[in-house]
Amino acid sequence: MAASAAVRTSVGLTLKLSRIIPDCSSCPLYGSKSCVRSATNSQRRSSQDTFRIIYRHLQTSIGLYHSDDGSSNTEDPDDVVNVVYVDRTGQRIPVQAKVGDNVMYLAHKHGIDLEGACEASLACSTCHVYVSDAHFDKLPEPDEREDDMLDMAAMLQENSRLGCQIILTRELDGMELTLPKVTRNFYVDGHVPKPH
Amino acid sequence: KKAKHSRCNFYGNVNVGRDVTINELKEAYHAVVLSYGAEGNRTMGVPGEDLAGVYAAKDFVGWYNGLPNCRELNPDLSCETAVILGQGNVALDVARILLAPISMLKSTDITQPALEALAQSQVRRVLIVGRRGPLQIACTIKEIREMVNLPGTKPEMLPADFEGISEVLKDVPRPRKRLTELMLKTALETPGEKELERRKSASRSWGFRFFRSPVEVLAEPRTNKTSAIRLAVNRLEGSGADAQAVLTGEVEDVTCGLVISSIGYRSLLIDPGLPFDSRKAIIPNSMGRIQHTPGVYCSGWVKTGPTGVIATTMNNSFDTARSMMEDMDSGALDVSAVKSGSQSITALLRGRGVKPVTFADWEKIDSVETKKGEAEGKPREKLLSVEEMLQVAQT
């Protein structure tokens, strides 16, 4: 299974970054507390986090109006990414998302029962998902810390990734994310508690 | 947040077994779930274990994490070499805390007294010792990687310990394989220029020592402080997870002033009314249903023993919940009767002079700790005594 890393062909993370690295002085967040590149915010950020946050702030700097409830009617159509979650019962849940969305938080927003115990800090494997074959190779190589956590995941497959490390791009449109069948429903009536 | 859910109530500062019994809880509730982990530790059982300079990892970790009953530990960090028995994640955590640069520790929630003690520490070398070989090591790759990448330190392994290991790796499952490859790389590969430079300027070192079991902790005759540890040399019989360490008869003495035993936690029996397997140190159960005790369930380490990471324990708790749902469905757990619940228990506790801490009270403590931490660039500055915590909780 370690060979899967060699088999994957992917657009390098560096390439992606080089296409979208913003010119700081033109960004409305320049110098403010929200700026991820400011010195006070740079503690404990991995390159992955910065990458994730750069996407979010790029959207803000373009000036699009985004509502936070996941509805996409005011979206720039170029920003829309459609994905499908397949939950543990096999039910397919299509989700209309946008470029820059984090697969784990997106699942939570849509009530999909994907755990995220360590809140995307690469300290657990509870957001483990299987990625559709056609899209798996389009993901950037995992950080070795993600691979370390994947080692802990039950029922690991060649197409396993941690949901909290997958950021949506246009080319991931149509991606299917399947939850491993490791746990049963929490309640007999199918009710699933909201992630906090 | 689950803790704030209207149907979830938190009662801290209540000692089950002393302030209230399991039977009283059974009377008041339809079901009781025990999820109290493993707060005891396995002892080495060797002479010298009680000497000054020998500590249980549980106490050492409790000390730097601010557990009130570990406050007075005052570990002696005035020696050059520390030996840790055990090679699990806790052992690696201890090694990391002993060797990490103070600049790294300063921005964590490590306690102020521990930070000050570590700033004065003379410990420069940590050996992490296991009974068996590299293929049986109990820690996980993330923790090894953190040691390999620890600034200011260099690895000190014995290449002979790794003979024959790479040959058997191809059939080993991914997690064990990646972990072993990292160890092999660290122990055997000639480092590149950058790494060579980094190691040359490192003032601290760490390493694994395999095939060694503790036999005795030796003391300096005049002071009676730890001066060395005597280790028995083992060989392996069998392979993989079931390999056994067998004594060869040889022994080896390692000079050190600090010995930390990290050979496993143990659950404790908190109420004599419960069954307990003192050999495995768990509550005997079947899928979380405690034997001979209908209506009482268990989950986590007290159910399975003290191993596993977040995902394992999480799935384990889902299994217990599922057993409870099945029992409710089948009638094995009778939920039709009216039970008095917290009404009777809180009255009982009040009558006994016990003051429970609610979640809102906990949030006050959390807020005080977080504010104190902000002033020092830490996520929090922990309150170190139960008295202080109760003072804040009851404002």
Side-chain angles (χ1 to χ4, degrees), chain A residues 1 115 117 121-126 144 147-152 156 182-184 186-188 193 196, chain B residues 1-2 107 140-142 145 149 174-175 177-179 181 309-311 314-315 318-319 321-322 325 329:
Chain A
M1 274 192 203
E115 271 288 344
S121 65
L122 283 178
C124 79
S125 58
T126 56
E144 62 187 6
D147 270 333
D148 290 351
M149 287 301 107
L150 276 170
D151 283 356
M152 301 299 121
L156 198 67
V182 188
T183 58
R184 317 294 201 277
F186 295 15
Y187 297 111
V188 169
H196 47 278
Chain B
K1 288 198 165 188
K2 290 189 174 88
S107 55
T140 53
I141 191 171
K142 181 183 162 95
R145 205 185 289 287
N149 294 334
R174 171 186 150 142
K177 183 169 176 199
R178 291 184 71 244
L179 189 165
E181 282 170 349
V309 294
I310 294 181
M314 182 185 82
N315 288 323
F318 293 168
D319 284 344
R322 191 162 46 95
M325 302 306 308
D329 275 352

Side-chain angles (χ1 to χ4, degrees), chain B residues 164-180:
Chain B
I165 299 289
S166 53
E167 285 75 17
V168 301
L169 272 189
K170 50 179 166 38
D171 300 314
V172 167
R174 171 186 150 142
R176 173 72 51 195
K177 183 169 176 199
R178 291 184 71 244
L179 189 165
T180 313

Side-chain angles (χ1 to χ4, degrees), chain B residues 92 139-148 179 182-183:
Chain B
L92 282 258
C139 59
T140 53
I141 191 171
K142 181 183 162 95
E143 282 70 18
I144 297 183
R145 205 185 289 287
E146 288 189 31
M147 286 309 296
V148 169
L179 189 165
L182 179 58
M183 277 197 290

